[in-house]
C-alpha cells in the first residue's frame, strides 16, 4: 500500500509558508512577498517523494484582524487545519514561542511537525538555544525540523519526516500533476506578487486580480488581466506617472508568468475601481473568496 495525504502548511503571516511550498514543489506557483498577509486562499501543491504522494495546502497566515477579507483568510487556514492528515507549523527562528502556544490552542491536539524556518538568519548557537526552548513542548509535536529555503537546508529531512507520518492510502491524484489549481488562479497569484513588489501601504491588500481572457497561440500566449482597487487614488498610484508603475508591474508579472508557463507571454493589464470590495461579501464571493 502506498502512502498519501494532505498536509496543511500553517503559521503566522510572513512565516515563509508559500516560499516553502514553491521550494518543495521545485516550481513557483505561490505568491511570495516580504509583506505579511499575502496569501488569501488555500492552494494545493502535489509533491511525490519516495513513492508517497504529499498534497501540501498553502494557507493564509494566522492573524486576528476583523476585516471581512481577513476573516475569510482565517477561515481558509482553519479549514485546512480541520481537513488535513498532518500539519506543518512554521515558526520563523526569530519568533517568540508565544505564536506556537497560540497555535497549540487552535489546533486542538492535531498531529503536527514543527518547522523552524529562516535558520539562515541566526548563528548556530542561537538556533540550538531556540530548539532547546521548543523542547519543553516535545510531547505536543511529532518532530522538529529546522530549514532554510534561502540556503537550501533541510528539504530531504523534512520530506522524509512528513512521509513517515502520512497514512497508508492510494494516491489521490495523478502523480504527474503538480497542482490542482488552474492556470488562471496561478496567473492571478503571480500578478498579485508583482503588485506586492511594486506598490506599498494598503494597496496590495486592497487590490485583486481577475484574469479576463487567455488566448493561446503557437509561439505566444496573450493574457488580459484586470487589477481591481478600492479607490480612485489607488488606481492613480498603480498606473503611476506616465504609466511607469503599471509598466513595472506588467514586466515583473510577465516574467513570472513566462517562467511558469515556459512560453512567451503578452500581458495586458487594466485597472478598475470597485469601491469597498474588501468589505462586501457579495463582491468577495464574485472574486472567488467564497465563505462557507
Ligand atoms: N532569510 C530567509 N527568508 C525567507 C526564507 N523563507 C522565506 N523567506 C522570506 O520571508 C518572506 C515571507 O515569505 P512568504 O513565503 O510570502 O510567507 P507566507 O508565510 O506565505 O506569508 P503570508 O502568505 O503573508 O501568510 C519573504 O520575503 C521570503 O523571501 C528563508 O529560508 N530565509
Ligand atoms: Mg503566503
Amino acid at each position: 500500500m502506498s502512502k498519501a495525504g494532505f498536509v496543511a502548511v500553517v503559521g503566522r503571516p510572513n512565516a515563509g509558508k508559500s516560499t516553502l511550498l514553491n521550494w518543495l514543489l521545485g516550481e513557483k506557483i505561490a505568491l511570495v512577498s516580504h509583506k505579511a498577509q499575502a496569501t488569501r486562499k488555500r492552494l494545493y501543491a502535489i509533491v511525490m517523494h519516495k513513492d508517497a504522494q504529499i498534497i501540501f495546502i498553502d494557507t493564509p497566515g494566522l492573524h486576528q484582524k476583523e476585516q471581512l477579507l481577513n476573516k475569510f483568510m482565517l477561515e481558509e487556514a482553519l479549514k485546512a487545519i480541520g481537513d488535513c492528515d498532518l500539519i506543518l507549523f512554521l515558526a520563523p527562528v526569530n519568533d517568540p514561542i508565544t505564536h506556537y502556544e497560540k497555535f497549540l490552542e487552535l489546533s486542538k491536539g492535531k498531529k503536527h511537525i514543527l518547522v523552524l524556518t529562516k535558520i539562515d538568519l541566526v548563528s548556530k548557537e542561537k538556533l540550538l538555544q531556540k530548539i532547546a526552548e521548543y523542547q519543553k513542548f516535545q510531547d505536543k509535536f511529532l518532530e522538529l525540523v529546522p530549514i532554510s529555503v534561502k540556503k537550501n537546508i533541510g528539504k530531504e529531512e523534512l520530506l522524509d519526516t512528513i512521509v513517515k507520518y502520512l497514512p497508508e492510502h492510494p494516491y489521490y491524484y495523478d502523480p504527474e500533476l503538480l497542482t490542482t489549481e488552474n492556470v488562471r488562479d496561478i496567473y492571478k497569484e503571480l500578478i498579485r506578487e508583482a503588485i506586492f513588489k511594486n506598490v506599498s501601504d494598503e494597496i496590495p491588500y486592497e487590490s485583486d486580480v481577475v484574469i479576463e481572457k487567455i488566448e493561446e497561440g503557437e509561439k505566444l500566449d496573450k493574457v488580459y488581466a484586470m487589477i481591481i482597487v478600492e479607490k480612485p487614488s489607488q488606481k492613480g498610484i498603480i498606473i503611476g506617472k506616465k504609466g511607469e508603475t503599471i509598466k513595472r508591474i506588467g514586466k515583473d508579472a510577465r516574467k513570472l508568468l513566462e517562467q511558469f508557463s515556459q512560453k512567451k507571454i503578452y500581458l495586458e493589464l487594466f485597472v478598475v475601481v470597485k469601491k469597498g470590495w474588501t468589505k462586501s461579501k457579495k463582491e468577495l464571493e464574485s472574486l472567488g473568496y467564497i465563505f462557507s
Side-chain angles (χ1 to χ4, degrees):
M1 184 68 137
S2 58
K3 285 185 155 192
F6 291 82
V7 177
V9 182
V10 304
R12 70 148 168 87
N14 217 246
K17 301 177 292 296
S18 302
T19 306
L20 174 92
L21 195 95
N22 290 332
W23 182 56
L24 296 176
L25 193 64
E27 192 78 52
K28 182 171 170 60
I29 61 167
L31 181 189
V32 168
S33 172
H34 66 276
K35 293 168 190 142
Q37 300 208 31
T39 303
R40 286 183 182 150
K41 274 184 84 163
R42 278 173 292 174
L43 185 153
Y44 290 72
I46 303 159
V47 174
M48 299 299 300
H49 184 69
K50 297 188 177 154
D51 292 336
Q53 182 168 65
I54 316 169
I55 303 126
F56 288 100
I57 314 168
D58 189 13
T59 67
L62 301 169
H63 63 275
Q64 279 157 338
K65 284 202 188 146
E66 277 303 298
Q67 221 197 2
L68 196 59
L69 176 58
N70 296 102
K71 270 192 174 157
F72 168 83
M73 288 160 61
L74 185 58
E75 226 179 65
E76 283 285 288
L78 296 178
K79 267 189 252 169
I81 289 176
D83 294 346
C84 69
D85 296 298
L86 179 68
I87 302 172
L88 296 189
F89 180 79
L90 269 56
V93 68
N94 279 320
D95 263 21
I97 207 157
T98 46
H99 289 286
Y100 180 59
E101 289 171 313
K102 272 190 212 142
F103 161 75
L104 286 178
E105 280 169 34
L106 197 94
S107 62
K108 300 190 184 90
K110 192 134 183 181
K111 277 202 306 187
H112 64 274
I113 294 169
L114 179 56
V115 184
L116 270 187
T117 64
K118 311 191 190 183
I119 61 163
D120 54 279
L121 295 175
V122 297
S123 65
K124 201 157 185 193
E125 292 73 45
K126 177 81 199 283
L127 173 62
L128 292 175
Q129 189 192 327
K130 207 71 197 184
I131 292 174
E133 253 184 79
Y134 279 104
Q135 286 307 330
K136 72 172 175 205
F137 294 105
Q138 58 177 304
D139 56 325
K140 305 281 187 209
F141 55 80
L142 297 168
E143 297 203 29
L144 187 157
V145 183
I147 65 156
S148 164
V149 176
K150 199 169 176 191
K151 293 269 165 76
N152 200 25
I153 299 169
K155 195 193 267 185
E156 278 295 302
E157 193 195 343
L158 180 59
L159 289 171
D160 287 347
T161 309
I162 293 167
V163 170
K164 193 163 134 190
Y165 295 102
L166 275 192
E168 287 194 340
H169 195 280
Y171 294 162
Y172 289 90
Y173 300 100
D174 178 344
E176 296 290 312
L177 202 65
L178 284 180
T179 173
T180 60
E181 309 304 309
N182 58 44
V183 173
R184 275 173 191 260
D185 286 338
I186 293 169
Y187 282 2
K188 168 190 171 117
E189 290 298 280
L190 296 176
I191 297 170
R192 284 186 57 233
E193 175 167 315
I195 295 174
F196 265 86
K197 185 174 163 202
N198 285 287
V199 292
S200 51
D201 301 324
E202 82 291 357
I203 298 180
Y205 302 104
E206 297 189 353
S207 59
D208 202 37
V209 171
V210 175
I211 306 296
E212 291 279 289
K213 196 167 54 166
I214 301 175
E215 290 171 0
E216 289 187 41
E218 278 279 307
K219 296 209 179 85
L220 180 96
D221 284 358
K222 290 185 178 174
V223 180
Y224 301 85
M226 170 166 76
I227 299 175
I228 295 168
V229 291
E230 284 249 3
K231 301 176 197 124
S233 61
Q234 295 172 334
K235 176 172 174 174
I237 294 169
I238 292 246
I239 291 171
K241 219 175 14 176
K242 294 187 191 154
E244 275 168 16
T245 310
I246 196 153
K247 244 186 236 158
R248 271 208 313 274
I249 294 171
K251 195 172 161 219
D252 288 339
R254 184 169 49 78
K255 273 192 210 149
L256 294 170
L257 265 48
E258 287 183 340
Q259 188 194 337
F260 172 75
S261 66
Q262 298 288 310
K263 269 181 106 172
K264 273 226 152 306
I265 301 270
Y266 164 85
L267 175 64
E268 196 166 296
L269 297 173
F270 47 101
V271 190
V272 171
V273 179
K274 257 192 195 173
K275 271 206 177 126
W277 74 266
T278 59
K279 295 168 196 79
S280 150
K281 192 166 176 188
K282 203 169 130 223
E283 290 287 1
L284 284 168
E285 298 206 322
S286 80
L287 290 167
Y289 306 111
I290 317 274
F291 289 81
S292 56

